[in-house]
């Protein structure tokens, strides 16, 4: 058993092209990171800090069992969002009435991980404070920062990133024969060959190349920009144009960072070589945080640059290394500007006088996009579920763009547009666990002193209530829902079902069951009157959950089935919520097989949109049922994965419930010592979170302690319980997971494998999206187990969530669930057949780079580090599928 909790292998991106040189730097940094815990790579922009950090992290990642993680900060302009960005990257969610930094520190306390904070200079004070806090709280954590300047904190080692190895001046330094081996020359030669196939470094051009590298002072970005020009110019022409273009400033002056001076000279030169139309498009593209062709055409195209010309101009900017390919999303290519280029282009846009108009176009495009997605995603009929999954993916890909657009709304005081965008983004925020961020945007827009149509403000208040419920802030949820209902009534818009449903759930949480039932009935009636099938289905599911809580299990079954019929031809998310409720109801009735079937079906649907906390809830349900049936292997695998997901979220309630389940599993194995210690840790977490054990949990505790006292004696059982309460969550999890059979790869969802998954033909195909919100673990009491409280749109529930890489995925050719998409399964199978990336690319009609990106995703999802592991996994999976078919 290892000494850590495996929650994924990190999020390091695949390298976009070859890494040239810096062998000595890599060796020195590798040795340095064995002795220091905080390393800051300093230097001017374009020197290669980020690329070097990622390269060294990739080499050292195998030594960090809890992952190497990249947190990109370039687009985080608000210092108050720093901790939230770090937590979001790691899948750690905020807790009510607790500083997120404290939750983050607790979640990382005993993880052996490597954390990269990239581009810190504009957030230097906040980064410094966060590094100090995390290093003090997390002894196994190592941190790398990239910044134009040191963070200047105790324990930091600042390492100045040098330029690439340069040729000496003519007559000095390396001989002519040695020039091709110099790092800067090697980089120029490789990038030039990529820009102009057939380019060869030879005796006729080596001197000019050496001159270019010297003039650019070994700056990698500047050299790459220069190399890209060989498509249009000879190296001698390039060298002549660089004369007197660079002016380096001494480092250390915060008011004049070297990065700005150096890169501005490089980018000025490249910008001046563009045609006028290329210049216009480049500066207009700076409003995007990533885009696709259609977005560029819609936002940047006008009379000056017709939309039909955008593709050609974009291709020219790609050729000149000013625009970067950023992978594909659902077979659509995405692009981005390097941070430095984007900053430069923004300055040019401001100087042109077009900034306000372009930002308005950008905002309006995104508003049309997300409102169009909502119109399609939550209605009956077309599009089919796989296409709706793609819509989730699309909105998720534009998260940074939505932040820009919302900021524009605030700056311009456009409250109506801002509230419309927030309302449309409510479901993606809930799905991906960005509830706190969404609530913040809602609140800022609602506080703008502007005239807003009553219907817009009413809807915003009602949807803000849903986010408050997700945050478990039930008082705020009720207040916003009532305010929204009041404005809706005055506007006579008839869209009150969502608010009535939230109020019903708040009443249920407060123990006012009859009031809750009346509210749910009113929500159903309001949804029917408005012709809103989505809300009707969710309101019916809420009603069923309340009836189950009241012990009316037969009636609840009928209402759940009605909800399923209403939602079946709608959004699979709502179907999954209802299936989960049916699973809880079947469990309450003692029908374990039906419960496993429903939980498994819900699990498959949740996996298609990567709703990880809800995946955790389904795994918990499967684990509890398996435990009651005596299937300890199934219980162990399911509950282990559930706890891993909960640990990654940092949510104490979810972790506590996962530990409680594993304590019962240990007792079922006859291990009284472990069971009592694990239960003690669970009780301590509940107490720390201000939550009392439920009646069902108390009954289980007495059962567990009774068995332990009978076997060990009262004094020994009491001592073990006290020891457990003093045990950290990570230590308790290691104890619990070790008993359940060890740590499983996140994609190995044996729970669904054993009991069968959803009918993929009925509910749709594969896909990935963002994380959802929900709780893991058992909700004690028959009514709670039956209902699950899952009826808020987008998966609202009543317990803390979880988020990590992994989770059940679509059913593949072998009939076994997996974390992988259909394309990733296909690539894994081809890896098992011994094909190279190039061979796979040729067979599938995609690029080798796309294959590499898919492989990186496979490694992350399955927790693997080597191609051989993927091959072995694929072979085992096919064998298991054949065995299952034969059986």
């Amino acid at each position: 058993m290892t000494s850590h909790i495996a929650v994924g292998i990190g999020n390091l991106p695949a390298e976009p092209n070859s890494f040239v040189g810096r062998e000595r730097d890599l060796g020195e940094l590798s040795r340095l990171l064995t002795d220091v815990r905080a390393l800051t790579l300093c230097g001017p922009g374009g020197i290669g800090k980020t690329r070097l950090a990622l390269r060294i992290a990739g080499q050292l990642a195998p030594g960090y069992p809890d992952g190497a993680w990249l947190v990109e900060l370039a687009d985080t302009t608000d210092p108050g969002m720093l901790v939230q960005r770090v937590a979001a990257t790691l899948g750690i969610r905020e807790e009510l009435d607790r500083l997120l930094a404290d939750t983050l520190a607790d979640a990382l306390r005993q993880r052996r991980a490597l954390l990269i904070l990239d581009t810190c200079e504009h957030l230097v004070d906040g980064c410094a404070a966060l590094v100090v806090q995390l290093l003090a709280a997390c002894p196994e954590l190592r941190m790398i920062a990239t910044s134009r300047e040191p963070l200047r904190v105790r324990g930091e080692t600042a390492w100045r990133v040098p330029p690439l190895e340069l040729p000496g001046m003519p007559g000095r330094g390396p001989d002519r024969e040695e020039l091709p081996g110099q790092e800067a020359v090697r980089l120029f030669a490789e990038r030039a060959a990529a820009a102009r196939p057939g380019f060869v470094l030879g005796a006729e051009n080596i001197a000019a190349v050496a001159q270019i590298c010297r003039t650019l002072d070994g700056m990698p970005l500047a050299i790459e920009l220069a190399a890209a020009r060989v498509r249009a110019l000879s190296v001698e022409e390039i060298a002549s144009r660089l004369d007197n273009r660079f002016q380096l400033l001494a480092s250390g002056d915060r008011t004049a960072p070297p990065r700005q001076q150096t890169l501005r000279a490089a980018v000025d030169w490249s910008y001046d070589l563009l045609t006028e139309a290329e210049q216009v498009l480049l500066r207009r593209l700076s409003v995007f945080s990533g885009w696709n062709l259609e977005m560029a055409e819609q936002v940047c195209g006008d009379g000056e640059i017709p939309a039909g010309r955008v593709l050609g101009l974009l291709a020219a900017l790609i050729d000149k290394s000013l625009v970067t390919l950023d992978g594909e999303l659902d077979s659509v290519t995405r692009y981005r500007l390097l941070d430095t280029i984007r900053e430069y282009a923004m300055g040019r846009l401001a100087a042109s006088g077009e900034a306000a108009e372009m930002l308005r176009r950008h905002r309006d495009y995104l508003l049309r996009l997300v409102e169009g997605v909502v119109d399609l995603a939550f209605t009956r009929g077309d599009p089919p579920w796989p296409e709706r999954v793609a819509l989730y993916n699309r909105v998720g890909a534009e998260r940074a763009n939505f932040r820009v657009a919302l900021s524009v709304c605030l700056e311009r005081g456009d409250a109506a547009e801002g509230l419309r965008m927030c309302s449309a983004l409510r479901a993606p925020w809930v799905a991906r666990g960005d509830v706190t961020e969404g609530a913040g945007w809602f609140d800022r827009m609602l506080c703008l002193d502007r005239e807003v149509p009553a219907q817009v403000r009413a809807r915003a208040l009602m949807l803000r209530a849903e986010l408050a419920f997700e945050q478990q802030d039930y008082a705020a949820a009720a207040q916003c829902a009532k305010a929204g209902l009041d404005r809706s009534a005055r506007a006579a818009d008839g869209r009150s079902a969502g608010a009535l449903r939230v109020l019903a759930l708040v009443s249920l949480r407060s123990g006012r069951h009859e009031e809750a039932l009346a509210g749910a009935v009113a929500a159903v009636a309001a949804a029917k009157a408005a012709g809103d099938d989505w809300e009707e289905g969710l309101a019916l599911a809420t009603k069923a959950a309340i009836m189950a809580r009241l012990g009316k299990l037969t009636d609840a079954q009928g209402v759940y089935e009605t909800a399923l019929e209403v939602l079946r031809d709608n959004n699979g998310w709502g179907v999954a919520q209802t299936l989960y409720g049916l699973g809880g109801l079947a469990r309450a009735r003692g029908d374990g097989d039906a419960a496993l079937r429903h939980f498994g079906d819900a699990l498959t649907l949740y996996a298609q949109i990567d709703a990880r906390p809800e995946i955790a809830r389904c795994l918990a349900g499967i684990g509890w049922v398996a435990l009651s049936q005596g299937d300890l292997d199934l219980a162990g695998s399911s509950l282990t994965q559930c706890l891993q997901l909960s640990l990654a979220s940092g949510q104490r309630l979810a972790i506590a419930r996962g530990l409680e389940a594993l304590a019962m599993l240990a007792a079922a194995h006859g291990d009284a010592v472990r069971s009592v210690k694990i239960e003690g840790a669970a009780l301590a977490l509940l107490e720390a979170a201000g939550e009392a054990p439920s009646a069902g949990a108390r009954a289980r505790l007495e059962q567990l302690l009774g068995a332990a006292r009978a076997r060990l004696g009262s004094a020994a059982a009491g001592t073990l319980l006290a020891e457990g309460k003093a045990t950290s969550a990570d230590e308790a999890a290691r104890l619990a997971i070790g008993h359940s059979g060890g740590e499983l790869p996140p994609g190995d969802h044996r729970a669904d494998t054993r009991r069968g998954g959803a009918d993929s033909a009925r509910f749709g195909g594969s896909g990935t999206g963002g994380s959802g919100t929900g709780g893991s673990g058992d909700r004690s009491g028959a009514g709670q187990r039956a209902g699950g409280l899952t009826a808020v749109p987008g998966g609202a529930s009543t317990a803390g969530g979880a988020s990590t890489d992994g989770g059940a995925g679509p059913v593949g050719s072998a009939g076994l669930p997996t974390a992988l998409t259909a394309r990733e399964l296909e690539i894994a199978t081809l890896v098992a057949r011994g094909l190279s990336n190039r061979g796979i690319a040729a067979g599938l009609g995609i690029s080798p780079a796309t294959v590499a990106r898919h492989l990186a995703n496979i490694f992350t999802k399955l927790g693997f580090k080597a191609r051989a592991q993927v091959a072995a996994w694929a072979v085992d999976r096919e064998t298991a599928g054949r065995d299952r078919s034969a059986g």
Side-chain angles (χ1 to χ4, degrees):
M1 184 180 71
T2 57
S3 60
H4 68 282
I5 302 303
V7 293
I9 62 170
N11 68 337
L12 300 183
E15 292 188 288
N17 50 26
S18 59
F19 186 90
V20 179
R22 297 206 183 278
E23 290 84 3
R24 287 186 303 238
D25 298 341
L26 290 167
E28 182 178 344
L29 289 170
S30 295
R31 291 188 295 271
L32 190 59
L33 277 169
T34 62
D35 299 321
V36 303
R37 297 184 57 213
L39 173 67
T40 302
L41 301 181
C42 300
I47 200 71
K49 302 183 295 294
T50 299
R51 190 71 188 269
L52 183 58
L54 291 174
R55 183 69 169 188
I56 190 65
Q59 290 186 352
L60 298 178
Y64 293 91
D66 292 307
W69 300 87
L70 171 66
V71 182
E72 297 174 308
L73 300 175
D75 65 341
T76 304
T77 57
D78 182 359
M81 298 292 290
L82 169 63
V83 177
Q84 186 172 331
R85 176 60 63 89
V86 176
T89 299
L90 294 166
I92 293 168
R93 297 176 56 211
E94 191 172 34
E95 297 177 285
L96 190 64
D97 298 325
R98 192 184 191 207
L99 292 176
L100 180 56
D102 293 338
T103 298
L104 177 64
D106 280 351
L108 294 176
R109 190 174 302 279
Q110 296 199 28
R111 295 190 196 175
R112 189 177 178 189
L114 178 62
L115 183 63
I116 303 171
L117 301 181
D118 185 43
T119 312
C120 297
E121 55 267 13
H122 60 304
L123 302 169
V124 65
D125 293 335
C127 288
L130 181 61
V131 167
V132 169
Q133 180 177 1
L134 292 182
L135 290 181
C138 312
E140 296 297 319
L141 183 67
R142 295 290 185 274
M143 301 187 72
I144 299 176
T146 70
S147 177
R148 299 179 194 176
E149 59 180 337
L151 301 183
R152 298 187 179 93
V153 298
R154 185 182 300 276
E156 175 194 36
T157 294
W159 199 86
R160 294 284 176 182
V161 179
L164 293 176
E165 183 183 50
L166 284 168
M169 295 299 291
R172 293 178 294 183
D175 295 334
R176 191 181 187 90
E177 291 74 21
E178 297 176 357
L179 287 178
Q182 302 299 301
E183 289 178 344
V185 174
R186 286 163 51 199
L187 177 63
F188 184 95
E190 287 203 23
R191 299 300 187 256
R196 193 180 80 195
F199 175 89
V200 176
L201 195 64
E204 71 282 359
N205 60 18
I206 186 68
V209 171
Q211 180 185 344
I212 291 170
C213 294
R214 284 192 297 266
T215 303
L216 297 178
D217 206 26
M219 301 286 286
L221 177 57
I223 291 172
E224 294 197 4
L225 290 169
R229 302 309 299 155
V230 301
R231 189 179 291 273
L233 301 171
S234 69
V235 291
E236 290 78 10
E237 288 175 311
I238 296 171
S240 67
R241 287 172 176 267
L242 286 175
D243 288 346
N244 301 316
R245 303 289 298 192
F246 244 31
Q247 293 183 3
L248 287 174
L249 297 179
S251 61
D253 182 358
R254 180 177 291 182
T255 62
R259 173 186 180 185
Q260 291 180 349
Q261 299 299 322
T262 302
L263 285 182
R264 184 166 186 85
V267 182
D268 266 338
W269 164 76
S270 187
Y271 185 83
D272 289 342
L273 292 176
L274 299 177
T275 67
E276 182 177 355
E278 289 170 350
Q279 290 179 347
V280 171
L281 181 60
L282 178 66
R283 63 184 184 237
R284 290 181 177 182
L285 290 172
S286 68
V287 300
F288 291 111
S289 290
W291 70 90
N292 61 30
L293 176 60
E294 189 255 351
M295 294 170 71
E297 291 172 335
Q298 292 288 319
V299 175
C300 300
D302 60 10
E304 187 172 2
I305 302 180
R309 290 192 62 197
V310 169
L311 175 58
L313 294 171
L314 184 60
L317 294 174
I318 294 169
D319 285 343
K320 295 166 185 175
S321 294
L322 291 170
V323 169
T324 301
L325 293 175
D326 199 27
E328 295 180 3
L329 177 67
D330 293 321
S331 300
V332 176
T333 303
R334 291 189 64 83
Y335 313 90
R336 67 182 178 92
L337 294 177
L338 296 176
D339 294 333
T340 302
I341 302 298
R342 187 180 180 206
E343 182 180 338
Y344 175 91
M346 281 180 173
R348 289 283 188 171
L349 184 65
S352 73
E354 288 188 323
E357 172 63 15
M358 295 308 303
L359 287 168
R360 183 195 62 77
R361 289 191 206 173
H362 175 266
R363 188 274 313 276
D364 290 349
Y365 174 87
L366 288 163
L367 182 56
R368 291 194 302 272
L369 169 68
V370 72
E371 288 187 332
V373 166
V374 169
D375 288 342
L376 289 172
F378 299 101
T379 55
R380 299 192 79 165
D382 289 332
W385 174 237
E387 292 183 27
R388 300 187 197 216
V389 171
L391 295 176
Y392 284 119
N393 293 343
R394 177 66 199 284
V395 172
E398 308 301 347
R399 291 169 71 184
N401 279 314
F402 283 119
R403 293 186 183 111
V404 172
L406 288 166
S407 296
V408 168
C409 290
L410 285 177
E411 292 166 7
R412 294 166 55 104
D414 294 338
E417 290 81 359
L419 288 173
R420 285 170 55 198
M421 186 171 290
C422 287
S423 295
L425 284 169
R426 174 265 301 157
W429 278 330
V430 171
R432 298 177 185 276
D434 296 330
V435 175
T436 299
E437 178 181 355
W441 285 115
F442 262 118
D443 292 344
R444 278 173 277 182
M445 298 298 175
L446 288 166
C447 288
L448 287 176
D449 186 16
R450 294 289 193 276
E451 287 292 327
V452 175
Q455 292 179 341
V456 172
R457 189 173 292 276
R459 179 157 177 76
L461 284 166
M462 289 188 282
L463 296 177
R464 175 64 179 91
E466 293 181 359
L467 298 189
F469 188 87
E470 275 288 322
Q471 294 174 301
Q472 301 176 48
D473 187 350
Y474 304 121
Q479 181 181 0
C480 290
K482 290 174 181 176
L485 284 173
D486 180 62
R487 289 182 178 272
S488 178
R490 281 186 276 163
D493 68 352
R495 302 176 72 180
S496 60
L500 291 170
R501 179 171 39 75
V502 171
L503 288 172
L505 287 169
V506 170
S507 297
L508 182 60
R509 287 293 299 173
S510 302
R512 303 190 303 274
H513 295 166
E514 294 298 337
E515 180 182 320
L517 183 58
V521 170
V524 173
K528 283 185 175 180
D532 190 336
D533 295 320
W534 169 251
E535 275 296 345
E536 181 185 349
L538 295 176
L540 284 166
T542 299
K543 179 182 176 182
I546 297 167
M547 296 175 77
R549 184 75 63 87
L550 291 168
K552 302 175 180 179
L553 302 188
T554 301
D555 292 339
Q557 176 78 23
V559 176
Y560 268 131
E561 290 173 354
T562 301
L564 194 61
E565 287 302 316
V566 171
L567 291 168
R568 191 180 299 280
D569 193 31
N570 198 299
N571 193 298
W573 197 352
V575 171
Q577 298 287 14
T578 307
L579 288 170
Y580 179 83
L582 283 167
L585 198 61
R587 182 186 166 202
R589 292 197 312 266
D591 188 348
D593 289 340
L596 290 173
R597 185 176 65 254
H598 290 313
F599 287 144
D601 288 352
L603 184 66
T604 300
L605 283 168
Y606 282 138
Q608 291 171 2
I609 56 171
D610 200 22
R612 298 169 188 169
E614 272 132 332
I615 288 171
R617 287 197 295 127
C618 291
L619 288 168
I622 290 168
W624 279 107
V625 173
L627 190 58
S628 70
Q629 293 182 332
D631 189 343
L632 302 190
D633 287 342
L634 174 58
S637 64
S638 300
L639 295 175
T640 291
Q641 293 168 78
C642 174
L643 181 59
Q644 288 173 330
L645 290 166
S646 299
L647 282 166
S649 77
Q651 300 295 292
R652 291 169 296 181
L653 289 178
I655 297 169
R657 289 172 178 135
L659 287 173
E660 180 195 359
L662 285 165
M664 297 301 294
L665 177 64
H669 277 289
D671 194 335
V673 172
R674 285 193 179 193
S675 67
V676 174
K677 290 183 71 173
I678 296 167
E679 182 65 28
L683 290 172
L685 278 172
L686 286 173
E687 183 178 344
E691 187 87 357
S694 65
R698 287 195 299 272
R700 285 190 293 272
L701 173 61
E702 287 305 315
Q703 175 189 351
L704 186 150
L705 286 177
R709 292 185 187 111
R711 176 173 296 188
L712 305 172
S714 296
T719 299
L720 288 169
L721 190 66
E723 289 177 1
K725 288 183 176 180
T727 301
S728 70
D730 285 296
E731 290 171 344
R734 280 194 289 273
L735 188 67
I737 288 175
H739 191 298
S740 67
E743 300 164 22
L744 298 175
D748 182 13
H749 288 285
R750 292 166 56 198
D752 200 25
T753 299
R754 286 168 166 258
R755 299 294 177 177
D759 180 349
S760 58
R762 194 173 77 203
F763 293 125
S766 65
T768 57
S771 64
T773 59
S776 62
D778 173 43
R779 294 181 176 86
S780 300
Q784 285 180 296
R785 289 196 298 270
L789 303 184
T790 61
V792 170
S797 61
T798 61
S803 178
T804 189
D805 289 324
V811 177
S813 59
L816 305 180
T818 170
L820 308 187
T821 66
R823 175 65 88 184
E824 289 162 355
L825 275 171
E826 195 172 17
I827 288 173
T829 301
L830 294 175
V831 168
R833 295 175 185 170
L835 272 69
S836 66
N837 283 13
R838 189 173 298 278
I840 294 171
L844 298 180
I846 58 179
S847 70
T850 300
V851 174
R853 285 193 296 273
H854 283 307
L855 276 173
N857 290 337
I858 292 169
F859 287 158
T860 297
K861 290 180 178 180
L862 299 183
F864 293 159
K865 299 181 177 69
R867 201 180 184 94
Q869 290 176 289
V870 175
W873 177 87
V875 171
D876 288 346
R877 191 170 186 280
E878 287 193 4
T879 301
R882 288 194 298 268
D883 291 346
R884 178 174 161 176
S885 298

